[in-house]
Amino acid sequence: MSESPMLLCYDIRNPRRLVRVYRRARRFGLALQYSVFYLELSESRLNDLLDQIHSVIDETEDDVRVYRISGL
């Protein structure tokens, strides 16, 4: 399974949830800014990360996005 470069960006309204998302994301990628991470993950690892994040966030208040990067 090949790894793809991508950006994980999030906007979390609650400070406690924000810290929890940050801690999970830093296990998988490199922090570019506090709420932006560079990732190189397989689909299964990306799904693992997103499952962990979705278990923490409130989907009515928070926003999490993944952007695939091409041409690197």
Side-chain angles (χ1 to χ4, degrees):
M1 216 178 260
S2 67
E3 295 182 343
S4 302
M6 56 195 85
L7 291 177
L8 170 72
C9 309
Y10 52 83
D11 182 22
I12 309 297
R13 301 205 66 200
N14 179 281
R16 182 180 232 172
R17 289 194 309 263
L18 177 64
V19 169
R20 290 177 178 168
V21 170
Y22 176 83
R23 287 181 181 157
R24 283 161 176 78
R26 75 176 180 191
R27 292 184 209 147
F28 288 82
L30 174 66
L32 301 178
Q33 293 182 356
Y34 192 66
S35 61
V36 179
F37 280 80
Y38 175 77
L39 309 170
E40 286 187 9
L41 300 174
S42 65
E43 284 296 315
S44 63
R45 296 257 307 146
L46 175 61
N47 289 333
D48 290 343
L49 171 59
L50 293 176
D51 287 344
Q52 289 182 31
I53 288 173
H54 284 287
S55 71
V56 171
I57 67 170
D58 179 343
E59 293 187 26
T60 63
E61 293 184 349
D62 304 329
D63 187 29
V64 176
R65 296 172 187 237
V66 175
Y67 299 99
R68 296 191 187 278
I69 303 170
S70 62
L72 290 179

